[in-house]
Amino acid sequence: MKGPGRLGRSRCGALAAVLALASGVLSAAGAVAPPAAALTPPVGFTADHLSTYQTNGIVWALAEANGVVYAGGTFSNVRPAGAPAGTGTTAAVNFAALNAATGAPTGCSLSFTRSSGTATVRALAVSPDKSTLYAGGYFSAVNGASANGLVAIDTATCRTRPGFSPDFSATVRALDVAPNGTVYAGGDFQSVNGQTRRFFGAVTAAGALTAWNPDADAPGRALKATPDGQSALIGGDFFTVGGADSHALAVTSATTGALTRAYPGGFIPSTAVIKDIVTDSASDGWYAAGEGRGGASFDGRLAMELDSFDQRWRDTCQGATQALRVYKSVLYAGSHVHDCSTMGGFPNQARKHLTAQSVDDPALLGWLPDTNDGIGEPVGPRALTVASRDGRDFLWVGGEFTTVNGVGQQALTRFANTPDTGAPAAPAVSVSAPRAGQVKVSWRSSHDLDDSLLTYRVYRNGGATPVHTTTGSSLFYSRPQLTYTDTNVVAGQTYSYRITASDGTNTSGLSATASVTAASTASPYQERVLADGAGLYWRYGEASGAFAADASAADNGGVYMNTPTYRSTPSAVAGSPALTLNGTDEYVYSDRMHRHTSPTPYSIETWFRTTSTSGGQLVGYGNRVGFAQGHTSSIADKLVYLTSDGRLAFGVQIGSSTSRPTITTGASYNDGDWHHVVATQGPAGMVLYVDGVAVGTNPATGNRSFNGYWRVGGDAMSNAWPNRPASTYLAGQIDETAVYPGALTAAQVAAHHDLADATPPPGGTTVTLAPAEDAYVNGVAVNTTYNDSQLASRGSTPYLAYLRYSLPAAPPGQVLTGARIDFRTSSDATAGSTDSHTLVPVTGAWTESAVTYNTRPALSASVLGTITDAASVSTDYSVELNATALGGALGSAYSLALTSSGTDSLRIWSSEASSAAYRPQLVLTFGAE
């Protein structure tokens, strides 16, 4: 029997790791995790799918023996990996045998057919000595010889065993072979060899019917003999076993089928069935896969004890589980999981089809290769098996999918325990200069499909040696912000940073360059917000990308959705830009789940500016985030919003009731000016402040408790909210959003409002410019002007691009200390370039409406900056420019040319790009003289 101490420690350790991710306590400064390894333990398989033959239909069952994997299903042929449907096919009628290590057919060919109806193989099982493969399903012949629902196949010869000819009256859907050779079957049948066996029955190795008779009242879908041979675990649709109440799951005597452990009374909801059962002697456990209907049903996994048959843990994620396998203390599952919010995990979003969990804990591990739903119902994977060959272990997956990791692959795929070849994604980086002597480098932790613990290296000013190295954990639904504070900086100087992520074996490319000029003093507004305890503080200083850095010590980073307009001016707070939202689908959400319990006090603060007459949500707390499905919240609370006529409202929901206490102003604020709003709730009730003054109160102290995400700029709002606006998304600007774990006082609110106009710190002025004109020319079409949404550069055949910026004069008492161009490669398939591309001054005359290759302007021989390694499409990059050279041109129109001597073209978005965030921006930084 498993000792409670070992089990308890294992569970608590895994739970603590998940809670750490969810609460966001991981940061670079405090990271003490071990170095990253190629696979983050206990994950045993990489997420890199291997070349594998595919079928033209659904694979329902898998089994392995002696390095061969057998696939059964509803298909007629197999074809190589990468081959389109109908090409390179080999006949394989509902059955295929494949080399576990190569993924190619072995030559074992059996054809499962029927004289009428659609034949199918639904279950496969191998004898303990690996000499016999049993295949069950709906068929009447194998290779033309009569067979009725179940056959035995000699694995050495690939021939059916003569004399084994049991007769099942309907489809066999589940098989297992006990240590003593008994073959247990479950399915739709109600008789075996002419004798009554309702949905479950067993035969000997010779095919004779045994006395095992659970006598269920509905079909069987899963079964497994226990390792000691004393019990047979059964699962399916049934509600009674031997007339006794036991729905979907039961433990029976291995000899008689008598019920020895029932699971009545809603242990499995009446709307759910059990689709698979596996056992694991090493963990003394057995595990069951659930498929249900509706949110209150059971779609997840059960972990049960082999000695007591009691429940160890229950996974309540939604997304019908079809198949399970255990490998080295990890439970791998095929499902279409899409909502784990009931377990404190991710909310409803796009489906994930392959997952892993420790046998001791239901928390999902960092292993998430993926398929699509595919054909059929569709649900994706249907079967799993583990095989070993040539010194490697493999996890095989079968089902109805048609893609694996985004690549076309039908019905079969496999993963190995080594090697891991997939590199993490490059981090998204944001930098700021919050105080004198500090540059704060923040980044969104990367995602790797089989490594949740990654090592990050921070490089400064193009150096080859990292200035900081740390580790951090992340999952696809929890990407904590990590932070490094560089204190080796001088006020007025510009610093650039790039970061890589490594799993210990594979390293990402360098992130896009992020640059900032070190400040000589701190922003008074920022210092007061931080001093008053902000636990989330988004200043919206990013130039592009999806990552919104948190300026607070809590590292509550956010995600920009649908590319809002960055660095908008004028802003609400001096020295910091704002964010523009389109009022349709642009918003920001917190990158990790928060846990709010009523009546915990809090404050919400933001600045906004709008002229919209449709209203919109400014800040709210919802239960969903920006994924492909369910991207708007079904539960929302703690909302600050504008009504359609421009009035401000602050409302909460009391528990799950319809009560929504709300404060609404009499005045309207959609006048195009910046306004400061603070909403607080605490023991004294609710207070709404506008422009530093309290404008309304409500005595309500309660709100709704749930796990959720802070959202800025938009979310779903039910009609129950008073004065619900015509649009729940804001068209306007947002700035300086903060959330506090307590109720701000009136004096604190007034101080924040007044500090917004404080003089910006000297030495930190930043100016962002869009091109006044830009175009490119083509050495092939020598008389054509290319004044469209892209710019291009190439040496042969030549492209040259031109950009003109109107440079401002330096602010009083300041000089130009840094310059860069931020740009994004276009979505053209050839947009990225491995060649170097230089920016040089233009000395001749040109206009974007008339320039051609034949009339191209003369260029200077000097180089302002060089673009290297801009090899990816639709990606943000930066190039540092010679500030000294530009300094002499301040106050004038200045032209640059983008050129190359190589053959690999670079394409970037131009000033005509549909989104302002895509356009090439010249960023100038000024410091004290």
Side-chain angles (χ1 to χ4, degrees), residues 38-411:
L39 296 175
T40 302
V43 169
F45 293 107
T46 80
D48 309 323
H49 64 284
L50 303 176
S51 177
T52 308
Y53 264 64
Q54 39 189 336
T55 74
N56 66 338
I58 299 174
V59 170
W60 292 100
L62 293 171
E64 66 81 28
N66 309 315
V68 175
V69 170
Y70 301 95
T74 311
F75 51 86
S76 61
N77 62 58
V78 295
R79 65 187 189 276
T87 63
T89 62
T90 301
V93 182
N94 301 318
F95 177 86
L98 305 108
N99 184 302
T102 67
T106 64
C108 171
S109 179
L110 296 171
S111 177
F112 288 73
T113 58
R114 285 190 64 82
S115 56
S116 63
T118 301
T120 183
V121 174
R122 288 300 182 106
L124 297 169
V126 175
S127 63
D129 64 2
K130 305 290 187 179
S131 67
T132 305
L133 170 71
Y134 296 93
Y138 184 62
F139 50 84
S140 58
V142 178
N143 282 5
S146 177
N148 203 4
L150 180 64
V151 295
I153 302 160
D154 187 309
T155 57
T157 64
C158 189
R159 296 176 181 173
T160 57
R161 289 193 182 278
F164 184 88
S165 56
D167 180 9
F168 285 79
S169 64
T171 305
V172 173
R173 297 182 179 274
L175 288 172
D176 192 39
V177 186
N180 66 0
T182 300
V183 183
Y184 294 95
D188 301 341
F189 55 86
Q190 297 201 45
S191 69
V192 180
N193 292 352
Q195 297 189 42
T196 299
R197 290 292 187 272
R198 295 201 304 165
F199 309 113
F200 290 97
V203 296
T204 67
L209 184 65
T210 75
W212 187 71
N213 184 13
D215 190 32
D217 67 338
R221 296 176 179 267
L223 55 80
K224 194 70 176 176
T226 57
D228 62 7
Q230 299 301 304
S231 300
L233 313 169
I234 63 172
D237 299 15
F238 52 83
F239 286 86
T240 63
V241 175
D245 178 12
S246 191
H247 172 53
L249 196 66
V251 181
T252 69
S253 163
T255 54
T256 67
L259 183 66
T260 58
R261 174 64 185 268
Y263 297 96
F267 183 81
I268 302 295
S270 61
T271 53
V273 300
I274 294 299
K275 298 299 290 288
D276 197 13
I277 297 173
V278 296
T279 60
D280 177 48
S281 297
S283 62
D284 293 330
W286 56 287
Y287 306 89
E291 177 185 85
R293 299 187 306 275
S297 191
F298 174 60
D299 264 356
R301 274 74 67 188
L302 278 177
M304 311 289 286
E305 302 286 1
L306 271 173
D307 48 8
S308 66
F309 301 116
D310 291 338
Q311 178 177 299
R312 181 186 302 170
W313 52 256
R314 179 181 295 233
D315 170 340
T316 58
C317 293
Q318 293 294 307
T321 307
Q322 303 296 311
L324 302 171
R325 278 300 180 271
V326 175
Y327 174 78
K328 293 186 177 180
S329 300
V330 174
L331 177 67
Y332 294 88
S335 70
H336 58 259
V337 59
H338 58 90
D339 186 349
C340 287
S341 55
T342 55
M343 291 175 56
F346 57 88
N348 191 40
Q349 48 89 63
R351 294 177 170 191
K352 303 291 182 181
H353 297 85
L354 294 167
T355 59
Q357 298 158 290
S358 165
V359 293
D360 289 334
D361 195 297
L364 293 184
L365 299 171
W367 184 80
L368 284 158
D370 205 9
T371 73
N372 65 354
D373 284 348
I375 59 177
E377 288 187 43
V379 299
R382 289 285 190 175
L384 302 174
T385 198
V386 174
S388 299
R389 186 158 183 164
D390 299 341
R392 300 167 71 195
D393 297 335
F394 301 88
L395 176 67
W396 279 69
V397 182
E400 53 194 281
F401 50 86
T402 57
T403 67
V404 180
N405 290 338
V407 177
Q409 175 70 22
Q410 186 172 358

Side-chain angles (χ1 to χ4, degrees), residues 530-550:
L530 295 175
D532 286 339
L536 179 155
Y537 184 19
W538 296 339
R539 304 205 72 194
Y540 308 117
E542 289 72 30
S544 60
F547 174 52
D550 178 18

Side-chain angles (χ1 to χ4, degrees), residues 441-456:
V441 185
S442 299
W443 64 96
R444 188 187 191 202
S445 51
S446 297
H447 180 220
D448 189 296
L449 293 179
D450 49 29
D451 301 284
S452 55
L453 178 67
L454 301 175
T455 296
Y456 299 90

Side-chain angles (χ1 to χ4, degrees), residues 489-774:
V489 297
V490 177
Q493 292 191 15
T494 299
Y495 298 87
S496 64
Y497 300 85
R498 302 181 80 179
I499 302 177
T500 62
S502 175
D503 61 16
T505 299
N506 309 287
T507 301
S508 73
L510 286 162
S511 68
T513 302
S515 302
V516 70
T517 298
S520 57
T521 61
S523 159
Y525 182 89
Q526 168 202 264
E527 291 301 281
R528 187 59 187 265
V529 169
L530 295 175
D532 286 339
L536 179 155
Y537 184 19
W538 296 339
R539 304 205 72 194
Y540 308 117
E542 289 72 30
S544 60
F547 174 52
D550 178 18
S552 82
D555 282 336
N556 269 313
V559 177
Y560 295 115
M561 284 299 296
N562 299 316
T563 318
T565 301
Y566 306 91
R567 291 188 173 177
S568 301
T569 56
S571 60
V573 174
S576 177
L579 186 73
T580 298
L581 304 171
N582 65 4
T584 303
D585 61 358
E586 295 173 351
Y587 60 98
V588 191
Y589 70 85
S590 55
D591 206 11
R592 66 165 187 257
M593 183 179 292
H594 293 259
R595 307 179 189 281
H596 190 90
T597 303
S598 177
T600 305
Y602 62 91
S603 298
I604 301 169
E605 177 178 40
T606 199
W607 290 78
F608 71 94
R609 182 166 75 109
T610 187
T611 57
S612 173
T613 57
S614 298
Q617 187 180 135
L618 301 180
V619 185
Y621 183 68
N623 69 328
R624 293 181 184 164
V625 293
F627 294 100
Q629 294 180 8
H631 65 280
T632 57
S633 297
S634 60
I635 302 172
D637 184 36
K638 296 173 271 294
L639 302 187
V640 179
Y641 58 98
L642 281 168
T643 65
S644 295
D645 58 4
R647 292 179 295 147
L648 271 166
F650 167 40
V652 299
Q653 183 178 7
I654 303 297
S656 59
S657 71
T658 58
S659 176
R660 286 175 170 79
T662 304
I663 304 167
T664 307
T665 65
S668 295
Y669 297 93
N670 56 346
D671 53 11
D673 292 332
W674 279 107
H675 294 286
H676 178 234
V677 57
V678 177
T680 71
Q681 188 178 26
M686 302 164 61
V687 185
L688 178 63
Y689 300 85
V690 181
D691 294 333
V693 178
V695 295
T697 62
N698 188 294
T701 59
N703 48 72
R704 188 160 185 176
S705 301
F706 62 96
N707 298 331
Y709 303 81
W710 290 104
R711 293 177 55 128
V712 174
D715 198 0
M717 293 177 61
S718 75
N719 291 326
W721 289 100
N723 301 300
R724 181 185 183 276
S727 171
T728 61
Y729 289 80
L730 176 72
Q733 286 80 47
I734 286 284
D735 202 3
E736 305 290 333
T737 302
V739 178
Y740 303 80
L744 295 177
T745 66
Q748 288 173 313
V749 172
H752 291 197
H753 175 262
D754 294 344
L755 283 170
D757 293 325
T759 304
T765 304
T766 301
V767 177
T768 302
L769 306 171
E773 291 186 277
D774 57 10

Side-chain angles (χ1 to χ4, degrees), residues 810-822:
Q814 297 184 7
V815 295
L816 186 67
T817 59
R820 72 176 190 274
I821 288 183
D822 296 334

